[in-house]
């Protein structure tokens, strides 16, 4: 393994840590610091050996991006962490196209590797109608990343390759969460990774990721699937007809089972109902956050409008609106600037329907999970823009 390949592997591990699987709960920050330190040493050694070659415009753009990222993350409430995350964003921005391609492939390999045994365990639970099988105990509450869930009385059980929140145990049927804290993470991750690769199911990795998205019963995943195929159906009609047939058949089989069918209706169909000006399933923002956002919208205080409130209790909510509350218009502008700089760094001149579909789906993801401090999100965004705007240059994964 060369020094460059070692650096890519460490970056892959950093991206995995940023996705927050339960394996790293409670100690992931220490491993992250170690990885960043090791990555810095590798970068310095490559620079000394003149093996690290960057164009002047890349260096300049990276400096500007790092400054913008640090400012935004500081406004968001991070301190020392803002420096570290800005450094990681800079690395993902600066690496060459080939390294980015390898980084994405490595990350997807790891994700599919940890998802596959969890999927097997999920099916065993469904067949047994009992998800207490292989329950290894309760995760310490202080290890849970989202402490708001702990505050409202939730806790997690862990299994080999998977974790389940307490209200789903015991249960004969539940949404697939994989090794993450909720099924929505699986749905978001699956939809973004597949969209970045045109929803191709030729590889075993993509099949695993696709299946995990289906059984997560994530509304975002199903909406993503519908949007993507609505926009790109005419590009590969035969393939898409086959996929559509398989999906409809699967949904039909699910609905035919009265118990699972009612569960599917509750999780997907009923949440698609449009009422009171929004989709019923749009529940990422609490009432408190909505009220605070309305307060921000009606505020005449210039500092509040530009930089947000000094203190905001998000109550565990996740919505694009929280950016305005915590960082104001300035923070939102910086947030968009980060994404635009990465887009123009990787865009290769072919703005096709796949790029458009990916941007729409990525925007949908950010609407309900606006977290660019999770480096894996920016990795997928960078690769998706590069891969889809230059389809003749890259193989499918």
């Amino acid at each position: 393994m060369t020094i460059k390949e070692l650096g890519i592997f460490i970056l892959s591990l950093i991206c995995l840590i940023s996705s927050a699987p339960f394996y790293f709960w409670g100690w992931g920050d220490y491993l992250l610091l170690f990885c960043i330190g090791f990555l810095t040493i590798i970068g310095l050694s490559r620079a000394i050996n003149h093996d690290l070659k960057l164009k002047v415009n890349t260096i300049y753009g990276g400096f500007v991006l790092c400054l913008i990222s640090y400012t935004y993350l500081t406004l968001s409430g991070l301190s020392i962490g803002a420096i570290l995350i800005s450094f990681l964003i800079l690395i993902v921005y600066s690496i060459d196209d080939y390294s980015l391609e390898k980084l994405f492939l490595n990350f997807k390999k790891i994700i599919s590797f940890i998802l596959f045994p969890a999927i097997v365990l999920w099916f065993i639970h469904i067949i047994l109608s009992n998800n207490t099988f292989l329950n290894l105990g309760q995760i310490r509450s202080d290890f849970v990343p989202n402490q708001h869930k702990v505050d409202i009385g939730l806790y997690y059980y862990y299994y080999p390759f998977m974790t389940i929140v307490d209200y789903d145990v015991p249960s004969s049927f539940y949404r697939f969460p994989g090794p993450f804290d909720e099924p929505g993470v699986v749905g978001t991750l699956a939809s973004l990774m597949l969209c970045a690769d045109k929803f191709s199911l030729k590889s075993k990795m993509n099949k695993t990721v696709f299946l995990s998205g289906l059984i997560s019963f994530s509304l975002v995943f199903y909406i993503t699937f519908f949007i993507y195929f609505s926009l790109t159906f005419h590009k590969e009609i035969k393939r898409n007809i086959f996929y559509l047939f398989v999906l409809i058949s699967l949904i039909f089989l699910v609905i035919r089972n009265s118990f699972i069918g009612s569960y599917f209706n509750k999780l997907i169909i009923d949440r698609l109902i449009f009422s009171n000006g929004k989709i019923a399933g749009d529940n990422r923002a609490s009432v408190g956050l909505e009220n605070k956002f309305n307060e921000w919208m009606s505020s005449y205080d210039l500092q509040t409008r530009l930089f947000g409130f000094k203190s905001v209790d998000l109550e565990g909510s996740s919505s694009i609106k929280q950016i305005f509350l915590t960082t104001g218009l300035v923070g939102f502008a910086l947030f968009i600037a980060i994404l635009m700089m990465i887009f123009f760094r990787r865009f290769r001149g072919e703005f096709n329907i796949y790029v458009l579909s990916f941007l729409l789906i990525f925007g949908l993801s950010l609407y309900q999970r606006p977290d660019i401090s999770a480096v894996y999100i920016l990795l997928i965004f960078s690769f998706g823009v590069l891969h889809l705007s230059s389809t003749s240059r890259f193989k499918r994964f």
Side-chain angles (χ1 to χ4, degrees), residues 7-28:
I8 292 174
F9 173 77
I10 293 174
L11 268 176
S12 305
L13 182 58
I14 289 173
C15 289
L16 177 65
I17 295 171
S18 75
S19 68
F22 79 97
Y23 311 113
F24 303 111
W25 291 4
W27 68 285

Side-chain angles (χ1 to χ4, degrees), residues 31 63 71 108 125 149 217 220 273 291 302 336 366 387:
L31 179 59
F63 172 77
T71 305
K108 188 161 67 171
H125 282 168
K149 293 183 177 181
F217 290 94
V220 169
I273 297 174
N291 292 336
L302 183 60
I336 298 300
L366 287 183
H387 182 51

Side-chain angles (χ1 to χ4, degrees), residues 5-61:
E5 290 172 337
L6 179 60
I8 292 174
F9 173 77
I10 293 174
L11 268 176
S12 305
L13 182 58
I14 289 173
C15 289
L16 177 65
I17 295 171
S18 75
S19 68
F22 79 97
Y23 311 113
F24 303 111
W25 291 4
W27 68 285
D29 289 344
Y30 302 106
L31 179 59
L32 182 62
L33 286 172
F34 174 79
C35 289
I36 291 175
F38 202 70
L39 200 61
T40 303
I41 295 172
I42 291 175
L44 290 174
S45 65
R46 290 190 63 197
I48 292 172
N49 295 326
H50 304 289
D51 188 34
L52 188 62
K53 299 176 182 179
L54 296 174
K55 296 180 180 179
V56 175
N57 60 340
T58 302
I59 295 175
Y60 175 73

Side-chain angles (χ1 to χ4, degrees), residues 20-254:
F22 79 97
Y23 311 113
F24 303 111
W25 291 4
W27 68 285
D29 289 344
Y30 302 106
L31 179 59
L32 182 62
L33 286 172
F34 174 79
C35 289
I36 291 175
F38 202 70
L39 200 61
T40 303
I41 295 172
I42 291 175
L44 290 174
S45 65
R46 290 190 63 197
I48 292 172
N49 295 326
H50 304 289
D51 188 34
L52 188 62
K53 299 176 182 179
L54 296 174
K55 296 180 180 179
V56 175
N57 60 340
T58 302
I59 295 175
Y60 175 73
F63 172 77
V64 174
L65 177 69
C66 201
L67 183 61
I68 291 174
S69 302
Y70 175 76
T71 305
Y72 168 71
L73 293 169
T74 302
L75 286 175
S76 300
L78 294 175
S79 51
I80 298 176
I83 299 175
L84 299 179
I85 296 170
S86 299
F87 175 68
L88 294 175
I89 293 174
L90 173 63
I91 293 176
V92 174
Y93 173 87
S94 301
I95 60 176
D96 60 89
D97 292 351
Y98 175 77
S99 297
L100 179 66
E101 178 188 23
K102 294 293 293 182
L103 175 59
F104 178 81
L105 178 58
N106 284 353
F107 176 66
K108 188 161 67 171
K109 280 182 178 178
I110 297 172
I111 289 295
S112 61
F113 178 79
I114 65 177
L115 282 177
F116 182 77
I119 291 172
V120 172
L121 179 59
W122 184 86
F123 276 106
I124 291 175
H125 282 168
I126 302 307
I127 293 172
L128 296 177
S129 293
N130 182 1
N131 68 355
T132 60
F133 177 67
L134 289 183
N135 186 330
L136 301 178
Q138 183 181 332
I139 298 177
R140 282 177 49 177
S141 296
D142 57 320
F143 284 179
V144 178
N146 189 340
Q147 281 296 300
H148 175 75
K149 293 183 177 181
V150 175
D151 293 340
I152 62 177
L154 299 181
Y155 54 92
Y156 291 83
Y157 293 106
Y158 70 99
Y159 300 70
F161 318 109
M162 188 161 64
T163 179
I164 306 178
V165 70
D166 65 292
Y167 57 69
D168 271 334
V169 181
S171 176
S172 58
F173 191 85
Y174 62 101
R175 298 171 62 194
F176 174 72
F180 306 104
D181 69 333
E182 60 178 68
V185 177
V186 176
T188 300
L189 181 60
S191 61
L192 289 177
M193 295 184 79
L194 290 170
C195 189
D197 195 24
K198 296 185 177 180
F199 265 85
S200 170
L201 299 184
K202 291 184 178 180
S203 72
K204 293 179 181 178
M205 289 183 292
N206 281 5
K207 288 185 177 72
T208 300
V209 172
F210 180 72
L211 181 57
S212 72
L214 283 179
I215 62 178
S216 73
F217 290 94
S218 166
L219 183 61
V220 169
F221 181 81
Y222 283 85
I223 290 177
T224 293
F225 188 89
F226 176 78
I227 292 174
Y228 183 85
F229 277 92
S230 296
L231 292 173
T232 65
F233 192 85
H234 65 286
K235 285 291 185 178
E236 298 180 71
I237 296 178
K238 290 184 179 179
R239 187 202 73 166
N240 290 339
I241 288 177
F242 172 74
Y243 287 167
L244 193 60
F245 173 77
V246 171
L247 182 63
I248 292 174
S249 300
L250 180 62
I251 292 175
F252 177 76
L253 290 175
V254 167

